[in-house]
């Protein structure tokens, strides 16, 4: 995989795959432009080197049909303000008219293609759709880590049509931080894994077990481990078919000297909701008809102490039902514990990202990944199609 700095961009049509899947309100106003700002260094580098910048992205899930409210037009306006120059909005992402518009760009100018997912060929990794996209560039740059785990036309199939391909600065940074954390970490290495389902994270837990010194497990996924230890958890969410496997993983960790931290108390309620009655109880005392929906304060203190001597922290997933205020305290407490640590801290996952931004602690986290699914796939030890297409994890500079 080559760095963008290795390529001669002057006068060339530089086709860049980014992730501009930003949130919009009911008036089509962008409510969070973090993803746009994240790729500005790469875009500005191309413009400074007199490339003719052609940007492509998806937005939402239009299922292969043109949907007005999922147009990238609002992104073109915001990007124009951030780059302080006009961004030409293409009427489509393929076709003769788009080719003519792109071919009319001068050095240092920018065009943004319309939503790639307006065509089913994007998600189908269709070779013909990829060929039509490739006709719009002389050089291909992947700067969309968040979709690198998907074998889509603009991520994988397109690469074979270019003699020169490279990773942008954001993708290179994602790969570097992950390799630093997982392949040559400063120890102790602590993995914090949360979220609703142990099934979605089990592969990551198995892959990380030989690498980490400590596991901290929170969220509803912790319930499967607690159930395997014989705790009665009331009506708490438990993936019954994974209780035995969770218990086996826990025992294996203990045999191999990996410290394994699970909740010791919980915030419980009869059901999820913003106005329900809640109380804090030890794990042993969850009422029969109540549900554990967040870790409790004793668990937060325990997890904070477990992070005290950490040198590297990798975190994916919240500690409870974070989207409801009454069950967000555990995740927020974890944000501050990670931020207060002296470790290299790498965080991935949408809900975790939201929690960090909501507390204003972003500057105190070493790196916040832009891709939840791609980040989790790396934790599982699985290759990313978008990275493999560029030549793999090794970076040639």
């Amino acid at each position: 995989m080559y760095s963008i700095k290795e390529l001669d961009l002057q006068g060339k049509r530089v086709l860049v795959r980014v992730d501009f899947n930003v949130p919009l309100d009911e008036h089509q106003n962008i409510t969070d432009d973090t993803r746009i700002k994240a790729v500005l260094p790469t875009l500005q580098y191309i413009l400074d080197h007199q490339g003719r910048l052609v940007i492509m992205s998806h937005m939402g899930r239009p299922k292969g049909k043109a949907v007005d409210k999922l147009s990238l037009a609002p992104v073109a306006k915001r990007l124009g303000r951030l780059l302080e120059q006009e961004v030409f909005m293409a009427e489509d992402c393929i076709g003769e008219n788009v080719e003519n518009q792109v071919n009319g760009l001068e050095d240092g100018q920018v065009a943004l293609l319309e939503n790639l997912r307006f065509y089913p060929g994007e998600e189908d990794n269709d070779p013909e759709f990829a060929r039509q996209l490739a006709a719009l560039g002389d050089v291909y740059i992947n700067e969309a880590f968040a979709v690198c785990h998907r074998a889509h036309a603009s991520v994988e199939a397109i690469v074979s049509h270019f003699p020169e391909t490279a990773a942008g600065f954001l993708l290179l940074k994602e790969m570097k931080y992950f390799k630093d954390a997982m392949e040559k970490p400063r120890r102790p290495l602590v993995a914090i894994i949360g979220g609703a389902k142990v099934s979605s994270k089990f592969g990551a837990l198995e892959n990380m077990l030989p690498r980490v010194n400590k596991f901290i497990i929170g969220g509803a996924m912790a319930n499967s481990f607690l159930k395997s230890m014989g705790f009665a958890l009331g009506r708490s969410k438990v993936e019954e078919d994974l209780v035995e496997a969770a218990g086996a993983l826990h025992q294996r960790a203990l045999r191999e000297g990996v410290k394994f931290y699970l909740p010791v108390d919980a915030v419980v309620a009869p059901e999820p909701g913003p106005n329900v009655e809640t109380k804090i109880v030890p794990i042993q005392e969850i009422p029969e008809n109540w549900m554990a929906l967040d870790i409790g304060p004793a668990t937060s203190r325990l997890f904070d102490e477990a992070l005290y001597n950490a040198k590297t922290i990798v975190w994916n997933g919240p500690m409870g039902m974070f989207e409801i205020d009454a069950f967000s305290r555990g995740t927020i407490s974890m944000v501050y514990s990670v931020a207060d640590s002296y470790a290299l801290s790498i965080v991935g996952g949408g809900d975790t990202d939201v929690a960090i931004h909501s507390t204003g602690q972003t500057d105190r986290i070493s790196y916040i990944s832009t891709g939840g699914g791609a980040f989790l796939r790396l934790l599982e030890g699985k290759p990313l199609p978008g990275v493999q297409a560029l030549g793999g994890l090794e970076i040639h500079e």
Side-chain angles (χ1 to χ4, degrees), residues 1-3 6-9 12-15 134-141 157-166 389-391:
M1 185 167 68
Y2 285 90
S3 163
E6 294 299 294
L7 304 184
D8 177 15
L9 306 176
K12 294 179 180 178
R13 298 171 305 161
V14 185
L15 186 60
L136 304 175
D138 304 307
V139 174
Y140 172 80
I141 305 294
I158 194 172
V159 176
S160 64
H161 294 279
F162 288 89
E164 292 185 300
T165 63
L390 294 180

Side-chain angles (χ1 to χ4, degrees), residues 253-281:
L254 297 179
R255 286 195 306 271
E256 296 182 11
V258 177
K259 304 293 191 299
F260 210 95
Y261 295 85
L262 289 163
V264 295
D265 66 342
V267 180
V268 298
E271 60 183 3
N275 300 310
V276 296
E277 179 187 0
T278 65
K279 55 186 177 183
I280 299 166
V281 297

Side-chain angles (χ1 to χ4, degrees), residues 368-380:
I368 301 173
S369 176
T370 57
F375 185 82
L376 182 58
R377 191 177 176 100
L378 284 176
L379 293 181
E380 292 171 341

Side-chain angles (χ1 to χ4, degrees), residues 17-19 39 141-149 155 170-171 370:
R17 176 50 156 113
V18 299
D19 177 20
V39 300
I141 305 294
N142 189 329
E143 187 64 329
F145 173 75
V147 293
C148 277
H149 62 306
V155 176
L170 178 64
L171 180 53
T370 57

Side-chain angles (χ1 to χ4, degrees), residues 22-346:
V22 295
L24 303 171
D25 65 17
E26 65 272 21
H27 306 296
Q28 298 300 101
N29 294 314
I30 295 172
T31 57
D32 183 353
D33 61 5
T34 302
R35 292 185 177 186
I36 303 175
K37 290 177 176 176
V39 300
L40 287 179
T42 291
L43 304 185
Q44 194 62 60
Y45 179 88
I46 294 167
L47 297 175
D48 288 346
H49 287 77
Q50 294 301 298
R52 303 177 183 187
L53 178 55
V54 184
I55 305 170
M56 56 181 176
S57 178
H58 71 282
M59 168 85 78
R61 298 184 178 183
K63 299 181 179 179
K65 298 178 181 179
V67 179
D68 287 345
K69 67 179 182 180
L70 293 178
S71 169
L72 285 166
V75 174
K77 295 178 182 178
R78 180 65 60 89
L79 181 61
R81 288 201 292 274
L82 292 170
L83 290 175
E84 298 183 347
Q85 71 176 78
E86 183 177 3
V87 173
F88 300 101
M89 183 67 210
E91 62 182 32
D92 208 333
C93 60
I94 56 173
E96 185 178 351
N97 290 341
V98 178
E99 284 192 47
N100 291 336
Q101 185 174 10
V102 167
N103 291 337
L105 291 175
E106 297 179 0
D107 296 356
Q109 289 189 320
V110 189
L112 175 63
L113 306 183
E114 189 50 282
N115 192 339
L116 296 167
R117 290 188 183 172
F118 285 176
Y119 288 86
E122 165 62 3
E123 294 186 85
D124 292 342
N125 203 21
D126 180 60
E128 176 57 22
F129 183 67
R131 185 194 64 76
Q132 293 180 68
L133 289 173
L136 304 175
D138 304 307
V139 174
Y140 172 80
I141 305 294
N142 189 329
E143 187 64 329
F145 173 75
V147 293
C148 277
H149 62 306
R150 304 192 184 279
H152 289 176
S154 65
V155 176
E156 185 181 58
I158 194 172
V159 176
S160 64
H161 294 279
F162 288 89
E164 292 185 300
T165 63
F169 297 129
L170 178 64
L171 180 53
L172 291 169
K173 184 185 289 187
E174 293 272 7
M175 293 297 102
K176 180 183 183 302
Y177 270 101
F178 181 81
K179 290 183 73 173
D180 286 349
M182 298 304 295
E183 293 185 8
K184 47 182 179 180
R186 295 179 61 214
R187 295 187 180 278
L189 165 58
V190 182
I192 307 167
I193 307 294
K197 294 181 178 181
V198 69
S199 55
S200 65
K201 307 285 176 75
F202 202 80
L205 292 170
E206 287 188 307
N207 182 59
M208 297 173 74
L209 183 56
R211 306 168 188 267
V212 304
N213 301 105
K214 301 181 185 181
F215 269 129
I216 292 176
I217 309 294
M221 64 176 290
N223 296 337
S224 295
F225 291 94
L226 293 168
K227 181 73 176 287
S228 75
M229 298 168 67
F231 290 107
L233 300 172
R235 292 177 48 246
S236 303
K237 181 176 181 177
V238 176
E239 291 180 271
E240 297 289 350
D241 58 331
L242 283 173
V243 169
E244 185 177 344
L249 183 76
H250 184 196
Q251 292 303 312
R252 180 184 158 199
L254 297 179
R255 286 195 306 271
E256 296 182 11
V258 177
K259 304 293 191 299
F260 210 95
Y261 295 85
L262 289 163
V264 295
D265 66 342
V267 180
V268 298
E271 60 183 3
N275 300 310
V276 296
E277 179 187 0
T278 65
K279 55 186 177 183
I280 299 166
V281 297
I283 289 297
Q284 296 91 331
E285 298 179 19
I286 296 176
E288 184 176 352
N289 292 315
W290 289 51
M291 308 172 69
L293 295 167
D294 191 17
I295 59 173
T299 302
S300 291
R301 288 193 294 273
L302 171 67
F303 289 177
D304 181 68
E305 290 172 5
L307 291 175
Y308 180 76
N309 67 337
K311 295 296 189 296
T312 306
I313 297 171
V314 177
W315 179 14
N316 179 274
M319 297 292 100
M321 194 170 279
F322 171 74
E323 61 273 21
I324 298 176
D325 182 68
F327 312 115
S328 66
R329 307 299 196 277
T331 302
I332 290 173
S333 175
M334 182 61 76
V335 170
Y336 284 102
S337 293
V338 174
D340 288 341
S341 75
Y342 292 97
L344 171 72
S345 52
I346 302 169

